[in-house]
Amino acid sequence: QVQLVESGGGLVQAGGSLRLSCAPSGSPGGILAIGWYRQAPGKQRELVAVISSGGTTDYGDSVKGRFTISRDNAKNTVYLQMNSLKPEDTAVYYCNAIINGYAHEGQGTQVTVSS
């Protein structure tokens, strides 16, 4: 059973930066895409960013220009660099991946941005 191991959440002041990372356990092949979604209390889950196996990226409108998703194939890890953070970025961030045709989700990591 593949597990997605997330790290990097925490508390930061508005305008600050954080970097999240996500790595599938066991270094599986067949990773189609890995991305991040987030959910704030009382709000719908929304796409943050996703990167395909070919390196194509896509971002949610609210984070374009501030967040960057990248992958290190040697480490089998995907990173989400979050800059110019705003209080409205506060949410639980979930790593999601399509691996060998199956969807996987991490346990979530809390990001809190104080004003």
Side-chain angles (χ1 to χ4, degrees):
Q1 179 75 16
V2 174
Q3 292 185 332
L4 301 179
V5 181
E6 303 158 332
S7 63
L11 173 65
V12 65
Q13 288 187 332
S17 298
L18 283 174
R19 189 177 77 161
L20 306 182
S21 64
C22 176
S25 61
S27 299
I31 300 175
L32 180 62
I34 295 183
W36 294 88
Y37 287 78
R38 67 186 183 186
Q39 188 161 21
K43 294 186 177 180
Q44 288 188 332
R45 181 171 291 202
E46 64 173 340
L47 171 70
V48 178
V50 62
I51 185 166
S52 73
S53 58
T56 302
T57 58
D58 194 18
Y59 296 90
D61 288 341
S62 61
V63 306
K64 285 179 180 177
R66 299 187 297 122
F67 291 11
T68 302
I69 190 169
S70 62
R71 63 193 300 166
D72 183 334
N73 290 328
K75 296 182 179 180
N76 207 31
T77 300
V78 169
Y79 301 99
L80 181 68
Q81 178 66 43
M82 306 185 293
N83 297 329
S84 302
L85 283 161
K86 304 174 182 180
E88 49 264 43
D89 293 317
T90 296
V92 178
Y93 285 67
Y94 296 91
C95 180
N96 283 257
I98 305 296
I99 301 173
N100 294 322
Y102 292 92
H104 301 268
E105 183 172 270
Q107 78 282 2
T109 185
Q110 177 70 45
V111 172
T112 303
V113 184
S114 63
S115 57

